[in-house]
């Protein structure tokens, strides 16, 4: 009998992957499934990015790279952030990692241990809580509320800070709600954090290109007063439709950089070389494919929101960012949003995720990703409408 460490009893999962697996099984049995469950763009990586990776392989980029990533890529990240946000970033503080999740992993490992408290958004990306629990730290949920447009409240967040708080995780634009926190609220949070110099901040900005209705993304990098305790998470997965490439980056405070570099040497050595060259092409090449994708998401967002609001018992606030809708389904009579999500998959052939998979404050909601064609989204909405009309709530 093998005995593994207890920390692995406390590790969670991302139910989107389980729903994807189930949807694949059902599709394999010949069922017609429309997948609005998974959070990845349904676009191909732009051709010039793919070509850069092919060229790198042909040029012999087959070996290890520096564990923090190749310098030209780190410089490209710094330039990109400067271009888009006017912020100065030292390429020496940029870390290239295999995907957005890895920054989360490193940040939570750095601060998580029994006795430590880590604040995270609820509903929020499920890996935050899972990793916090894995480290033995105490997860402290910051409720994300529909009545605030799914923005976080600075006041509520600051009130949850204690002397044991080590790390605060924030995410805007947000998964699963599509919420975008306004600049005024972020200003307030940063101001309040001055009274809590023992708290590090991890800002997950992986959806920073996906903002609609004239909103501007407000990066936490724009606040010099917290740069010495800010960890910025971002990456290529969503912006450049590169989820399978596993390419992300983070910006670290000087005091933490070397610790994370050592973690990378121990755990993943480096991101594969050709992918890093693709990353340069993505940042330095034409940005039109990104603009086109965002505009297509915007068009679908309107179809989803209008369609959901026409369903019996469903009301959907208009998400201002990311590519998710998080409708309130409590009026459908279904007591459990997870049961509703499961019935929608099994009986209506529409894969969505139950809100509670993103935290207890997600009860009463489901998440739809609109990373699917407008036609499929329309069919899915029709199926949901027919299902809700015929099926008694459970
Ligand atoms: N952060 C958020 C909020 C996400 O939604 C995701 C992916 O869905 C990630 C990070 C992870 O991105 P990656 O696939 O690059 O690891």
């Amino acid at each position: 009998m093998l005995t593994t460490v207890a920390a692995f009893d406390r590790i969670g999962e991302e139910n989107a992957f389980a729903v994807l697996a189930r949807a694949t099984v059902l599709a394999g049995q010949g069922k017609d499934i429309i997948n609005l469950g998974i959070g990845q763009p349904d676009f191909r990586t732009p051709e010039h990015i793919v070509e850069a990776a092919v060229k790198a392989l042909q040029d012999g980029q087959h070996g290890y790279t520096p564990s923090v990533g190749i310098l030209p890529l780190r410089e490209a990240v710094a330039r990109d952030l400067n271009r888009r946000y006017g912020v100065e970033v030292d390429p020496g503080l940029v870390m290239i990692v295999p995907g957005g999740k890895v920054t989360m992993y490193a940040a939570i490992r750095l601060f998580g241990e029994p006795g430590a408290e880590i604040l995270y958004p609820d509903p929020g990306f499920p890996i935050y809580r899972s990793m916090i629990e894995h480290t033995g730290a105490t997860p402290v949920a910051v409720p994300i509320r529909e009545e605030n447009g799914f923005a976080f409240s600075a006041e509520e967040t600051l009130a949850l800070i204690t002397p044991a708080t080590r790390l605060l995780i924030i995410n805007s634009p947000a998964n699963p709600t599509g919420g975008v926190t306004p600049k005024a609220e972020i200003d307030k949070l940063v101001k309040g954090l001055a009274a809590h110099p023992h708290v590090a901040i991890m800002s997950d900005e992986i959806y920073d290109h996906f903002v609609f209705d004239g909103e501007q993304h407000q990066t936490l990098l724009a606040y010099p007063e917290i740069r010495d305790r800010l960890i910025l998470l971002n990456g290529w997965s969503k912006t450049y439709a590169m989820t399978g490439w596993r390419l992300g980056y983070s910006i670290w405070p000087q005091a933490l950089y070397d610790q994370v570099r050592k973690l990378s040497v121990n755990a993943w050595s480096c991101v594969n070389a050709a992918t890093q060259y693709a990353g340069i092409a993505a940042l330095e090449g034409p940005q039109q494919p990104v603009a086109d994708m965002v505009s297509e998401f915007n068009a679908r967002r309107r179809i989803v929101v209008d369609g959901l609001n026409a369903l019996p018992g469903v009301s959907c606030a208009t998400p201002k960012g990311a590519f998710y809708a998080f409708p309130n389904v409590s009026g459908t009579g279904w007591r459990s949003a997870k049961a509703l999500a499961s019935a929608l998959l099994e009986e209506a052939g529409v894969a969505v995720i139950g809100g509670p998979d993103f935290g207890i404050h997600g009860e009463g909601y489901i998440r739809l990703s609109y990373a699917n064609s407008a036609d499929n989204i329309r069919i899915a909405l029709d199926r949901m409408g027919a299902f809700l009309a015929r099926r008694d709530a459970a």
Side-chain angles (χ1 to χ4, degrees):
M1 177 76 165
L2 304 177
T3 310
T4 58
V5 297
F8 278 79
D9 299 337
R10 298 191 304 264
I11 204 161
E13 283 211 57
E14 205 187 330
N15 204 34
F17 283 95
V19 170
L20 177 65
R22 180 68 189 145
T24 308
V25 168
L26 290 171
Q29 293 167 357
K31 302 226 167 73
D32 178 15
I33 305 293
I34 296 179
N35 195 341
L36 304 182
I38 195 80
Q40 69 176 338
D42 55 316
F43 294 83
R44 287 172 64 100
T45 304
E47 205 48 44
H48 68 280
I49 301 176
V50 176
E51 277 163 13
V54 172
K55 179 169 185 309
L57 285 171
Q58 285 168 341
D59 288 350
Q61 303 294 350
H62 302 169
Y64 293 124
T65 76
S67 58
V68 295
I70 56 174
L71 182 59
L73 180 55
R74 288 182 286 120
E75 288 173 340
V77 167
R79 268 195 299 274
D80 176 61
L81 290 167
N82 181 266
R83 232 178 354 248
R84 293 193 295 128
Y85 300 124
V87 295
E88 295 299 326
V89 173
D90 176 355
L93 298 179
V94 177
M95 180 99 42
I96 304 301
V97 285
K101 272 181 183 166
V102 179
T103 299
M104 220 172 275
Y105 174 80
I108 296 170
R109 285 295 307 275
L110 265 180
F111 291 102
E113 64 180 343
E117 293 175 6
I118 300 184
L119 273 57
Y120 69 101
D122 178 341
F125 190 52
I127 301 305
Y128 304 143
R129 185 184 171 108
S130 164
M131 275 307 303
I132 296 167
E133 290 188 322
H134 181 56
T135 64
T138 305
V140 178
V142 178
I144 304 295
R145 302 181 191 282
E146 183 180 357
E147 60 263 33
N148 293 342
F150 294 120
F152 60 77
S153 146
E155 197 181 330
E156 209 169 359
T157 306
L158 292 164
L160 290 166
I161 293 178
T162 74
T165 308
R166 291 259 183 91
L167 178 66
L168 160 65
I169 299 175
I170 58 175
N171 173 220
S172 174
N175 179 6
T177 58
V180 171
T181 300
K183 178 174 185 301
E185 205 61 26
I186 298 180
D187 288 350
K188 215 157 128 190
L189 179 75
V190 172
K191 201 159 169 230
L193 283 170
H196 307 286
H198 62 294
V199 178
I201 305 112
M202 188 192 85
S203 181
D204 182 341
E205 302 187 12
I206 200 141
Y207 295 102
D208 66 342
H209 280 82
F210 299 87
V211 283
F212 309 113
D213 298 337
E215 293 278 327
Q216 296 294 317
H217 172 67
Q218 180 58 43
T219 178
L220 270 283
L221 285 171
Y223 299 86
E225 59 271 49
I226 53 162
R227 281 292 280 277
D228 62 348
R229 51 189 169 125
L230 174 70
I231 302 157
L232 181 100
L233 181 161
N234 208 328
W236 285 256
S237 293
K238 317 285 177 179
T239 308
Y240 297 101
M242 291 176 72
T243 51
W245 294 69
R246 310 311 302 139
L247 186 62
Y249 70 82
S250 20
I251 318 292
W252 295 84
Q254 182 75 60
L256 303 180
Y257 192 78
D258 206 50
Q259 284 169 291
V260 185
R261 181 193 62 75
K262 281 192 278 184
L263 179 64
S264 77
V265 169
N266 278 267
W268 57 86
S269 295
C270 62
V271 172
N272 88 65
T275 292
Q276 294 191 50
Y277 285 91
I280 298 175
L283 296 176
E284 310 262 275
Q287 299 302 303
Q288 195 55 42
V290 180
D292 292 347
M293 182 171 72
V294 172
S295 122
E296 173 64 24
F297 275 131
N298 190 17
R300 295 175 189 174
R301 180 180 67 121
R302 296 184 182 286
I303 299 170
V304 171
V305 172
D306 292 349
L308 285 168
N309 280 319
L311 298 183
V314 178
S315 76
C316 183
T318 303
K320 292 206 160 77
F323 40 76
Y324 307 108
F326 202 60
N328 187 326
V329 293
S330 49
T332 59
W334 283 73
R335 270 180 296 113
S336 147
K338 276 186 73 120
L340 172 59
S342 163
L344 283 170
L345 174 59
E346 302 291 333
E347 297 175 39
V350 180
V352 301
I353 315 282
D357 283 330
F358 302 95
I360 52 167
H361 296 280
E363 186 54 271
Y365 297 86
I366 58 174
R367 187 193 79 173
L368 286 80
S369 151
Y370 39 93
N372 209 321
S373 69
D375 284 348
N376 277 345
I377 289 170
R378 284 196 189 91
I379 299 169
L381 289 164
D382 284 348
R383 288 186 189 174
M384 288 171 71
F387 169 84
L388 288 169
R390 80 168 176 265
R391 177 73 150 74
D392 285 339

